[in-house]
Structure formats: structure tokens, C-alpha cells
Amino acid sequence: MTMELNSEKDQPIRRRSFLNYFLGLSIGTFGGSAAYAFAKYLFPPAAIGAESGSETVRVMLAELPIGGSKIVRYKGEPTVVIRVSEKQVHALSAVCTHLGCIVKWDGSKRLLVCPCHAATFDVNGNVTAGPAPKPLASYHTKITPDEVIIGEA
Amino acid sequence: MNEHEKGKALKEQQPSFEQRSGLRELFELFSLTGFVYGPLDERLNIKEALEKNLKKAVPHHVNWLFCFGGLSLFLFTVQAVTGIMLLMYYRPTIAEAYKSVVYVTNNVPFGWLVRGLHHWAANLMIVMVFLHMARVFFYGAYKPPRDFNWVTGVILLMLTLGFGFTGYLLPWNQISYWATTVGTEAPGAVPVVGGLLTTLIRGGAEVSQTTLTRFFAVHVVILPLVISFFLMGHFFMIRKQGISGPL
Ligand code: HEM
Ligand code: HEM
Ligand code: FES
């Protein structure tokens, strides 16, 4: 025991304090990210003007392979962007009109499928099967050489 | 000199890393530990009380199975925090409840996370409380003098299940409506007063706005108050009696 104490004395930073800093850092990181989520949570989209509707959302074409899709936030709502071909992109509200689950693009069926009660929609938002009472809202899109702009004709 | 004193003497002759770097001063300033350990400690002896609690030795026979009680408490804390956060958006009316829950999940930043945490921690807490109860049972830790702690434990179990039952109605969707209809039918089987009980819980003949209002009040006000009371009793008894012995 005496030996151990003496050998620890020569070290610039003791194991005990290293562990303390490490613990502090972990708590700080976790607490920090929780505080971030908490702060964001308290400012809903309406409070920060994201629902006003005049704004546009841009998605890089590089992130959207042909046949692929991406969920973005437009007017404060989850919105699905689907690239059906080189120059054709659709943007639709991703909120199922039945009970509000988030629909997913099924590339092989070329349909939007709701995971909750299996409503399906085509790329224009029309209901093709299931309990959904209304089509999905669809938005204008514009393709530039490297971006899709949602909300611009 | 015993070992403890040697260690102390060492500390005094050699400034430690945190003393030299000034990090400690910064930390103390921002975390208020300087205040709590300084002026406040002079008056209230906080350091002594803290050390007594933090440096309490754990007996050798205690193993990981003894964590289930603490994990139940941890999950309850998660429920309290996420539950209060859900209250910032939830609206307890039959017209708006589901809408407000969908709004939290789809529109509010990290709302899906808060709601998901409340959902999963609720389920896990029930699992954890049962595991804790099984640990207590198989260690025979319910025997006198800890028999009253078993009694408060059973009450805590009922309260936890009560949280789950009342919380389940709050989103006001099909599954919660029918689960509550079936669940409130069960007390109807009690002889003589059964029908009265069902009406009392529902606040009417059917599951309605009154039921939602009642369940909401029970879930977010009454149960939290009552469970805090019994949790304190549970913990004071554990502290007074110490943990039970080895198998
Ligand atoms: C919200 C639910 C509960 C919480 C937060 C809780 C918390 C705790 C904690 C932290 C301990 C310390 C030892 C350990 O963790 O094993 C403990 C001990 C104990 N609990 Fe619970 N408990 C709960 C429910 C229950 C239930 C359902 C029972 C039994 C029906 C019970 C009976 C006991 C007994 C008898 C002890 C003393 C065990 C011993 O000394 O070894 N508790 N409880
Ligand atoms: C033992 C602790 C608790 C359990 C087991 C529990 C359980 C539940 C359950 C199962 C739901 C339905 C969740 C859903 O379907 O999304 C719920 C909802 C809710 N709970 Fe709790 N809860 C607990 C504590 C609390 C506390 C302490 C509060 C606040 C003071 C709270 C506030 C709420 C609110 C506002 C909702 C409605 C929002 C929603 O449905 O997502 N809960 N709870
Ligand atoms: S919520 Fe989409 S099918 Fe029910």
C-alpha cells in the first residue's frame, strides 16, 4: 500500500482525479445533450415561425438517389421527398391522413406505405388502399442542377 | 500515522493537478460547490452529511440483483421528468387529446423522443418493480422486521400499475378507449357495489370526457403525490433497518 501511494505521487495526474474528470465529462456530455433536446422541445415550430408557410426547404440532389426518398421538415410538418426519376421529384406531407403516423416510401412497390394500419398512397398522394380518408397534401417542387427546392413552383 | 493520514499529508505537500490548473476554482464557481461547501457548510454541516451517505460501505453479500429497487426509482424519475414535459403540450379533452399527442410526436422537436421515453420507461418500470419484488421474495427480505416494507412495497406496486392504467387512456385512441372500457368493467364483478364502482371510476355510465378528466387528474396529480409519500416511507425504513443479510 505504501509503495502504491509513493508511485502515485510521482504522476502528474492521479487515477482518482482522472476518473473524476472522466465522470464529470460523461455527465456533462449527457446532461448537455439532454438540455439541448429539452430547450428545443420547449420551442414548438409555431413559436419560431416555421409554420407561416412562406419559406422553402432545399434538399441536395446528391442526398436523393433516383428511386430514393428523404424525410424533411416543411412548414413544421414531416414531409417526404421522393425522386422518381432524374428530373422528377415529388414532395408530400408524410403525415398519414388516417391517424397521423409517418408514412414511408416503398421503392419496390412505388407506393407510400403507412406502418400503422397499412394505408397506401401513390406518388401524387392519392389513397390506393387502406383506411386513410383523404389524400396526402402535395407540394410544389423545383429542380435546379444540384438541389430540389420544396415550396417553389 | 495510519494510511488515511499519510494520504492526507501527501495531498498537502504536493499540489494536485486540479489545484494547479485552477480548474477546480472554475468548477466551484459555476457549480456553486464553493458556496455549498463554504458558507452553507459552516452553518449546516453539509459535507459531513454527504460523506456519511456517499461513503457508506456496501456489505459484501450485496450483488447486482439489489439494483432493481434503485432502477425502479430511476425509471420513476424518468417518468416524472418526461411526464412533466408532455404536460407542456398535452390537452385532456376528447376532442383535442389525440391531436395534441400527434402534434407532440410529429411536430414538436424531440417530441417523439420525450413521448417514446415516457412510453418505454413506463413499461420497463413495471418489469423492474416485479424483478425487485422477486429479488426481495427470494432473499426472504420480506421477513420481520422488514414486513412493513413489503406492505409499502405492495402499495407501490399498485400505484405503479395505477399510473400505467390511467396513463394508457390519455392519448384517447381506439386502443386506449377500449382498454379502459374493459378495465373499468372488471370492478363491476364485485358483489353488490360493483356497478357503483364502475360508475365511480368512469364518472358516468360510459367511458367519456369525465373519465378522461378523472384519469388525467389521477395520473398527473393524485398518483404522483401519493406515490411520493409511500416512496419516502419505503426509503426511510430501508435506511433505518439497513439492507437484509446474505442468503
Ligand atoms: C415503485 C416501486 C419501488 C421502488 C422505487 C422500490 C425501491 C426500493 C429500493 C431502492 C430498495 C433498496 C434495496 C433494493 O434495491 O433491492 C428497496 C428495498 C425493499 N423493497 Fe422496494 N421498491 C419498490 C417496490 C417494492 C415492491 C413491489 C415490494 C414488494 C412487494 C418491495 C419491497 C421491498 C423490501 C421488503 C425491501 C427491503 C429489502 C432488503 O432489505 O433487502 N418494494 N425498495
Ligand atoms: C409510474 C409512473 C408512470 C407511468 C407507469 C406512466 C404511464 C403512462 C402511459 C402508459 C401513458 C400513455 C402513453 C402513450 O400511449 O403515449 C402515459 C401518458 C402520459 N403521462 Fe404518464 N406515467 C407515469 C408517470 C407520469 C407522471 C409523473 C406524469 C406527470 C406529472 C405523467 C404525465 C403523462 C401525460 C401528460 C401523458 C399523456 C401524453 C401521452 O399519451 O403521450 N406520467 N403515462
Ligand atoms: S395512421 Fe396511417 S393507416 Fe392508420
Side-chain angles (χ1 to χ4, degrees), chain B residues 76 79-80 83-84 86-87 90 101 115 118-119 121-123 125-126 159-160 163-164 167-171 216 219-221 224 227:
Chain B
F76 177 72
Q79 288 307 85
I84 290 168
L86 287 172
L87 281 176
Y90 179 75
V101 169
R115 187 162 178 239
H118 198 75
H119 179 97
N123 288 282
M125 181 174 167
I126 289 166
L159 293 171
T160 308
F163 266 112
Y168 204 66
L169 179 66
L170 300 186
F216 179 64
H219 190 80
V220 308
V221 183
I227 205 171

Side-chain angles (χ1 to χ4, degrees), chain B residues 54-242:
Chain B
L54 293 178
K55 301 202 169 151
K56 192 173 185 295
V58 176
H60 275 293
H61 70 278
V62 168
N63 57 37
W64 292 107
L65 297 176
F66 288 68
C67 290
F68 294 142
L71 287 172
S72 308
L73 178 66
F74 170 73
L75 289 167
F76 177 72
T77 321
V78 171
Q79 288 307 85
V81 173
T82 54
I84 290 168
M85 284 171 83
L86 287 172
L87 281 176
M88 303 284 139
Y89 293 102
Y90 179 75
R91 290 193 290 267
T93 67
I94 56 177
E96 300 259 323
Y98 189 75
K99 261 195 242 162
S100 69
V101 169
V102 170
Y103 180 75
V104 170
T105 333
N106 287 350
N107 297 47
V108 176
F110 296 104
W112 55 272
L113 181 65
V114 174
R115 187 162 178 239
L117 281 173
H118 198 75
H119 179 97
W120 285 104
N123 288 282
L124 270 178
M125 181 174 167
I126 289 166
V127 172
M128 217 47 84
V129 171
F130 273 113
L131 287 174
H132 170 59
M133 189 167 128
R135 195 287 289 172
V136 170
F137 180 77
F138 287 113
Y139 275 76
Y142 54 82
K143 291 175 193 164
R146 286 174 250 274
D147 43 354
F148 281 137
N149 225 354
W150 178 270
V151 174
T152 47
V154 172
I155 296 172
L156 287 174
L157 175 66
M158 293 303 140
L159 293 171
T160 308
L161 295 177
F163 266 112
F165 184 58
T166 51
Y168 204 66
L169 179 66
L170 300 186
W172 197 259
N173 51 25
Q174 284 288 325
I175 197 162
S176 60
Y177 179 86
W178 290 108
T180 306
T181 301
V182 173
T184 49
E185 212 118 273
V190 175
V192 190
V193 291
L196 212 65
L197 269 181
T198 298
T199 316
L200 175 72
I201 299 169
R202 287 182 183 169
E206 280 135 42
V207 175
S208 62
Q209 173 65 60
T210 321
T211 323
L212 182 60
T213 308
R214 267 179 202 198
F215 275 40
F216 179 64
V218 172
H219 190 80
V220 308
V221 183
I222 300 169
L223 281 177
L225 285 176
V226 177
I227 205 171
S228 308
F229 176 78
F230 283 100
L231 281 174
M232 300 236 276
H234 204 62
F235 299 149
F236 275 127
M237 280 194 267
I238 296 161
R239 212 53 220 270
K240 178 81 177 100
Q241 301 179 322

Side-chain angles (χ1 to χ4, degrees), chain A residues 1-2 5-6 9-14 16-17 20-21 36-38 40-48 51 73 75-78 95-96 98-102, chain B residues 3 6-7 10-11 13-18 20-21 23-24 55 81-82 85-89 98 102-114 173-174:
Chain A
M1 200 59 210
T2 322
L5 268 176
N6 281 339
K9 180 179 132 188
D10 305 327
Q11 285 160 16
I13 174 166
R14 283 199 230 100
R16 186 60 172 272
S17 33
N20 280 342
Y21 282 123
Y36 172 76
F38 188 62
K40 290 288 263 188
Y41 179 84
L42 291 177
F43 291 92
I48 52 175
E51 271 167 9
R73 209 159 264 284
K75 294 185 183 179
E77 291 271 350
V95 182
C96 180
H98 178 222
L99 288 171
C101 294
I102 303 299
Chain B
E3 259 163 38
K6 265 188 220 156
L10 251 176
K11 243 192 208 157
Q13 43 175 277
Q14 172 127 28
S16 69
F17 170 71
E18 49 273 64
R20 273 178 286 125
S21 64
L23 271 177
R24 165 161 274 169
K55 301 202 169 151
V81 173
T82 54
M85 284 171 83
L86 287 172
L87 281 176
M88 303 284 139
Y89 293 102
Y98 189 75
V102 170
Y103 180 75
V104 170
T105 333
N106 287 350
N107 297 47
V108 176
F110 296 104
W112 55 272
L113 181 65
V114 174
N173 51 25
Q174 284 288 325

Side-chain angles (χ1 to χ4, degrees), chain A residues 50 53 55-57 72-79 139 150-152:
Chain A
E55 110 278 37
T56 55
V57 171
V72 297
R73 209 159 264 284
Y74 174 62
K75 294 185 183 179
E77 291 271 350
T79 301
Y139 308 118
I150 301 155
E152 207 170 278

